[in-house]
Amino acid sequence: MKRGTGRSGSSAAPNSVDVARLAGVSQKTVSRVFNEEPYVSAEARRRVLEAADQLGYRRNNAARALASGRTRSIGVITLGTALYGPASLLMGVERVVRDTGYALRVVNTMEGDPAGLAGAVDSLLDQGVDGIVISEPIDEPGGEAGPLRVDVPVLVIGAPPPPLTSPALLTAGGGADLMAGAATEHLLGLGHVTVHHLAGPQRWFAAQDRLEGWRTTLISHGRDVPAVVEGDWSAASGYAAGREFAQDPEVTAVFAANDDMAIGLVRALTEAGRRVPDDVSVVGFDDIPVAAYVTPPLTTVRQPFDAVAHEGLKRLVHAIENPDTDPLPASAPPVDLVVRASTAPPRPTGTGR
């Protein structure tokens, strides 16, 4: 990377004095521009930014933290898992945090540790973070006896807020029930009498929400609600469920709570002689990269990981930097059903294969 040398030709990193000199403004004006303070004319702001770009100047966030009482860092608590959903959400959060100019500090928790959240919060607070993102998708019973005390704003993604007190408690990433409802509506709209459900493990909030969206949609249409088959998010559990579904000739449509289980399900149905979608239509959830390339290409619900991360972090940063103002309003995440070749109207009764 080429570094500006300033007017003196020195190889030392340029500072705000160099920027002020080149822009023809005071050092205070440079500070106001980079702190996004008011009372700076558009012309002065333009000259400062152009001078900073020419010199290769970057503001010193460490010094700024000392002056403002902030570290300009955001902590993220996430489940230690390689599953597509949590991992994709973490990557989305990482991209957005980097774009905001904050540093990112990540603490992983492990499934089955009810005290993991409290320890993770304490670790991040000890590091002096300005805000915390909690992306804990599992309901861990037997946690802390009382609410956690957190003295920085907190954003909870994709789960009910845990028992804690905070200057600002924000949520983002809801709406999985609406997305599951859209998947179920799609199958009913094709003419299927009802829709079976291959659920995720019910300790996961996401699995609970998807099951609820499926159930509510069937009830609202006056359809029978079949017994739920529960998997563990893996293709292997989807395959096992598919062997079970294949034995029931009344099964013509299945909504699976994630794409991996849907892919295993399709494999088992095909091996049992139940063609997809001729005999059984299948819808997944997530739109993992391989979903478009399996046979048949999988109809699925695309999760808006980047959109959820962008909106949630925007609201969190606003709460950090404007503690005396009302929080920014939340918006519902988009529902994006990607229709491919794994769904079709049911075969007319009595026809041959």
Side-chain angles (χ1 to χ4, degrees):
M1 180 182 297
K2 184 177 180 181
R3 176 173 290 177
T5 59
R7 290 190 173 182
S8 66
S10 169
S11 62
N15 56 38
S16 60
V17 174
D18 299 322
V19 175
R21 184 181 299 115
L22 182 58
V25 299
S26 69
Q27 189 176 1
K28 179 62 176 176
T29 297
V30 173
S31 176
R32 283 175 173 164
V33 169
F34 280 98
N35 288 327
E36 299 180 356
E37 296 176 8
Y39 314 120
V40 180
S41 70
E43 173 62 19
R45 189 179 303 275
R46 180 189 64 79
R47 295 206 311 269
V48 167
L49 293 176
E50 287 182 354
D53 183 63
Q54 180 178 337
L55 294 170
Y57 168 76
R58 298 182 66 181
R59 60 183 172 182
N60 187 330
N61 282 337
R64 189 169 180 235
L66 290 174
S68 66
R70 301 198 194 113
T71 61
R72 297 218 31 108
S73 63
I74 291 175
V76 178
I77 301 170
T78 185
L79 187 70
T81 176
L83 286 171
Y84 179 78
S88 297
L89 184 57
L90 177 59
M91 287 190 294
V93 169
E94 183 177 10
R95 282 192 293 268
V96 176
V97 170
R98 186 170 59 243
D99 290 343
T100 64
Y102 281 72
L104 182 71
R105 307 182 191 278
V106 179
V107 176
N108 288 311
T109 59
M110 301 306 296
E111 187 172 354
D113 180 7
L117 179 60
V121 168
D122 286 342
S123 173
L124 290 172
L125 292 177
D126 286 344
Q127 297 177 60
V129 297
D130 299 321
I132 293 177
V133 178
I134 298 177
S135 179
E136 283 288 271
I138 292 181
D139 184 7
E140 291 286 10
E144 296 298 301
L148 301 172
R149 292 178 55 86
V150 184
D151 58 3
V152 297
V154 174
L155 170 68
V156 181
I157 299 181
L164 59 81
T165 59
S166 167
L169 182 55
L170 312 169
T171 59
D177 55 337
L178 300 178
M179 299 177 201
T184 309
E185 290 270 8
H186 170 67
L187 291 166
L188 294 178
L190 290 172
H192 295 277
V193 174
T194 192
V195 177
H196 288 71
H197 184 41
L198 171 51
Q202 290 301 293
R203 291 177 59 208
W204 288 66
F205 295 114
Q208 296 171 20
D209 289 345
R210 294 168 204 184
L211 187 152
E212 184 60 27
W214 161 80
R215 187 198 310 275
T216 300
T217 302
L218 289 181
I219 292 173
S220 70
H221 284 271
R223 306 300 176 90
D224 289 338
V225 180
V228 173
V229 176
E230 184 174 331
D232 63 6
W233 298 129
S234 71
S237 70
Y239 182 84
R243 297 183 66 176
E244 181 177 339
F245 283 128
Q247 303 308 309
D248 185 352
E250 299 299 316
V251 175
T252 67
V254 181
F255 164 51
N258 80 336
D259 289 343
D260 284 326
M261 291 194 299
I263 290 169
L265 167 71
V266 170
R267 171 70 179 270
L269 290 171
T270 302
E271 288 183 357
R274 302 291 301 278
R275 296 176 298 172
V276 177
D278 295 2
D279 301 314
V280 182
S281 287
V282 176
V283 177
F285 200 104
D286 281 338
D287 195 25
I288 63 176
V290 75
Y293 303 100
V294 295
T295 302
L298 185 65
T299 295
T300 185
V301 181
R302 179 177 295 151
Q303 287 221 65
F305 297 114
D306 286 345
V308 168
H310 183 270
E311 179 183 311
L313 267 296
K314 178 178 71 174
R315 296 175 64 224
L316 179 63
V317 170
H318 179 272
I320 292 169
E321 298 183 349
N322 303 276
D324 298 323
T325 63
D326 292 335
L328 296 177
S331 61
V335 176
D336 188 3
L337 179 68
V338 183
V339 179
R340 299 192 179 105
S342 68
T343 53
R347 285 191 302 113
T349 304
T351 62
R353 293 190 179 185

